[in-house]
Amino acid sequence: MRECAAKVSDVSTPASVLDDVRSLAARYRGQPEKVIQVVREAQALSNNGAPLDVARVIGEEMGVPVSKIYDIATFYSFLSVKPRGKNIIRICRSAPSHARGCQEVIDAFKKILGIELGETTLDGKFTLETCECLGICHLSPSVMINKTVHGHLSPEKVPALLNKY
């Protein structure tokens, strides 16, 4: 997969997606407490990310400063300000995971996908990230791909796991 790897460039969100985000955010006008929910939903509409143009639309429609939208999208690890792949791989990097070999698992994902942490394959299929804790130390080293957890990983198990996606 090395040949399909690259950082996703900062591209504009298609107008049709911005229209969908506008409709979504307009439903929550005057409800700033719903910003996180709106960003999460908008992220699903805009290729798993909420880039600046998406954040601006949300802010305009909800009456919330774009800086607050950006703060939220950059603070929470499950949100992003850049487009991400169809399959988001989050590797737990907690202390128990490190003790059980998560770095070798991370290295295996990087080598097979041909990307570094925080990058997306050129084909848009995978984004590779780490997170602080998945709350499943008994399964470490572990990853969450989209919403599915996979535990007791080793570098040798990574190719078969990726083939499922």
Side-chain angles (χ1 to χ4, degrees), residues 17-81:
V17 172
L18 291 177
D19 288 342
D20 291 344
V21 170
R22 186 171 283 106
S23 295
L24 165 69
R27 293 194 312 252
Y28 298 96
R29 187 173 287 125
Q31 299 178 60
E33 70 279 4
K34 300 284 189 177
V35 169
I36 295 173
Q37 176 183 339
V38 172
V39 173
R40 284 180 62 114
E41 291 180 36
Q43 188 170 265
L45 296 171
S46 62
N47 202 22
N48 282 324
L52 188 55
D53 54 357
V54 170
R56 282 189 185 123
V57 168
I58 294 170
E60 290 168 5
E61 292 300 321
M62 293 186 71
V64 175
V66 72
S67 60
K68 180 172 180 152
I69 307 297
Y70 189 82
D71 286 348
I72 288 168
T74 57
F75 179 78
Y76 294 101
S77 65
F78 283 72
L79 300 175
S80 177
V81 294

Side-chain angles (χ1 to χ4, degrees), residues 80-100:
S80 177
V81 294
K82 64 182 181 178
R84 295 188 289 175
K86 177 182 176 186
N87 300 291
I88 301 171
I89 302 167
R90 292 182 180 94
I91 304 171
C92 180
R93 64 177 184 187
S94 68
S97 287
H98 267 290
R100 294 183 179 145

Side-chain angles (χ1 to χ4, degrees), residues 128-150:
L128 185 61
E129 302 176 345
T130 60
C131 60
E132 292 304 319
C133 183
L134 292 173
I136 51 171
C137 295
H138 64 290
L139 297 177
S140 63
S142 58
V143 303
M144 182 176 2
I145 302 179
N146 303 322
K147 295 180 181 180
T148 304
V149 173
H150 304 275

Side-chain angles (χ1 to χ4, degrees), residues 101-123:
C102 82
Q103 187 57 54
E104 291 81 10
V105 172
I106 291 170
D107 292 343
F109 274 105
K110 288 168 47 176
K111 181 178 180 184
I112 292 167
L113 295 174
I115 58 176
E116 294 297 319
L117 293 172
E119 293 181 351
T120 298
T121 56
L122 187 60
D123 63 4

